[in-house]
Amino acid sequence: MRKTIIGLCATAALAASAAASAAPVVLTFEGIADGQPVGNFYAGIGVTFSPETLALVDADAGGGGNFANEPSPSTIIFWLDGDDAILNYAAGFDTGFSFYYTSATEATVNIFDDVNGQGNLLGSIRLRPQHTDNCTGDPNGTFCNWTPVGVAFAGIARSIDFGGTARFTGYDNITFFSDVPGEVPEPASLALMGLGLAGLGFARRRRG
């Protein structure tokens, strides 16, 4: 059985000086209830998320998520309102990071040297729509393609702006200190046709 990344080793890695590379640390979002804000769930290791960032659990696991083949079953992040989800890591991290995504629309991820998506832009990557491409395995869920992506940059990053379209873009297994997606650890703790019911999840629970 693969060991979880989140724990004392992860805490030590994230608390280490950002000027020196640390061992990769992966956020899998397992343990957050369906539809609940991610918020301060990872505050113990210095990571927080903007209020719009929500957890979404696969429908196969009893949640409201219309996705399949997620890299670490069964929870991802997405949002119902706005255009993005922002991750803050005030202590900073270097080298690069990686993640998996699924999206029915184009999306852009930006890395900044200040919190809340502010300061100097250190790196950026554009993501193409791919949510139904070449899906195999779990047949249940429209958003069935999860693509690993890595981003390298110079400097010390303190926030990541995960862009996309509300209800039609999701992210999982965000890894710090490595721009090469590796083995997926065990959890620790949108075609534009038919936008609506074809969305990633929570179509009927969108906030007003």
Side-chain angles (χ1 to χ4, degrees), residues 36-94:
Q36 294 304 301
V38 179
N40 295 323
F41 186 78
Y42 289 109
I45 55 174
V47 175
T48 60
F49 286 81
S50 57
E52 298 79 14
T53 311
L54 306 178
L56 182 61
V57 176
D58 191 345
D60 291 344
N66 180 25
F67 57 87
N69 303 311
E70 60 274 20
S72 60
S74 300
T75 310
I76 68 166
I77 60 167
F78 85 134
W79 56 99
L80 291 171
D81 300 294
D83 298 319
D84 56 7
I86 295 178
L87 177 158
N88 287 319
Y89 178 32
F93 64 98
D94 63 1

Side-chain angles (χ1 to χ4, degrees), residues 17-46:
S17 170
S21 296
V25 176
V26 184
L27 309 184
T28 66
F29 308 104
E30 304 304 322
I32 310 175
D34 197 39
Q36 294 304 301
V38 179
N40 295 323
F41 186 78
Y42 289 109
I45 55 174

Side-chain angles (χ1 to χ4, degrees), residues 73-169:
S74 300
T75 310
I76 68 166
I77 60 167
F78 85 134
W79 56 99
L80 291 171
D81 300 294
D83 298 319
D84 56 7
I86 295 178
L87 177 158
N88 287 319
Y89 178 32
F93 64 98
D94 63 1
T95 307
F97 74 103
S98 60
F99 57 91
Y100 288 75
Y101 84 97
T102 186
S103 187
T105 65
E106 244 188 30
T108 301
V109 174
N110 294 315
I111 305 96
F112 296 91
D113 65 359
D114 202 355
V115 296
N116 300 318
Q118 302 294 314
N120 297 307
L121 181 66
L122 299 181
S124 182
I125 186 169
R126 181 166 291 181
L127 309 175
R128 67 176 186 85
Q130 44 58 282
H131 71 302
T132 59
D133 291 354
N134 305 313
C135 291
T136 59
D138 182 355
N140 301 315
T142 303
F143 289 74
C144 50
N145 181 358
W146 289 86
T147 301
V149 177
V151 183
F153 58 85
I156 304 299
R158 291 183 173 83
S159 64
I160 306 168
D161 188 336
F162 290 95
T165 302
R167 297 189 297 121
F168 291 92
T169 305

